[in-house]
Amino acid sequence: RQYVVTSPLPWTMENFTIEAWLRLGPEPIEDVALGGDMESNAQWYHDYIPYLGVDGNPSTYWSSQLGTPGNVNLNATWICDLGEPRYGGLIRIYWKEPAEDFTISVRVTDTQNWQQLVEVVGNKLTKTDHYIFFEARFLRLYMTKAATTRPDLMTLQDVRDEVEPLRFPVYSIYEFEVLKDDQVS
């Protein structure tokens, strides 16, 4: 159920607002980022292109370039173009390798400044939900600190010698979803 209250009305009434209770149906919620145009300043090989984070296939993923071994600080930007201004109510990210610190910003046109919606510090989750009402055509995910690291490939001799592998910071996203908000838009 949704509860709505209007601004004060100009008529002389005992009650100066109108209240309404809405019951929403079971219609499916549309992911408006699905199949959107993507770009990133950090992509690891051609097998992990930004589009794989919005292709609707949970077994594919976008992956950033690997950072410096032993240093979890890594800057990467990932931008989603929804094609036209849309209203949203939830941004959901399914991470393979999550960002510990990141922000999500939006803008309606490509000439506007980015408006920060979300700032996350200390994330370790592989699924993050951000419930916030917004209008945007472009969404930017800016990651600054990796929550996990990926080990370097090791030779059989390294394994035998019990060599500790180098660990690289990296971000990977299975799916980035923008769920539209038909309830209020």
Side-chain angles (χ1 to χ4, degrees), residues 44-45 63-74 97-98 146-154 164-172:
W44 192 33
Y45 300 114
S63 195
S64 71
Q65 294 174 332
L66 299 176
T68 305
N71 181 358
V72 294
N73 296 315
L74 173 63
E97 292 157 316
T148 60
T149 56
R150 185 180 293 174
D152 194 10
L153 296 175
M154 297 180 63
E164 186 67 31
L166 293 175
R167 299 194 65 84
F168 296 86
V170 65
Y171 310 113
S172 299

Side-chain angles (χ1 to χ4, degrees), residues 116-136:
Q116 184 174 302
L117 289 180
V118 175
E119 179 177 19
V120 176
V121 176
N123 175 58
K124 301 290 185 190
L125 301 173
T126 56
K127 177 185 167 205
T128 55
D129 286 341
H130 309 282
Y131 292 93
I132 186 165
F133 179 73
F134 63 92
E135 180 184 17

Side-chain angles (χ1 to χ4, degrees), residues 34-81:
L34 185 63
D37 289 333
M38 304 301 305
E39 65 180 70
S40 175
N41 70 343
Q43 161 185 321
W44 192 33
Y45 300 114
H46 65 274
D47 293 335
Y48 305 104
I49 60 175
Y51 173 77
L52 296 176
V54 294
D55 66 352
N57 182 346
S59 64
T60 62
Y61 58 92
W62 163 81
S63 195
S64 71
Q65 294 174 332
L66 299 176
T68 305
N71 181 358
V72 294
N73 296 315
L74 173 63
N75 293 335
T77 303
W78 193 78
I79 298 173
C80 177
D81 180 352

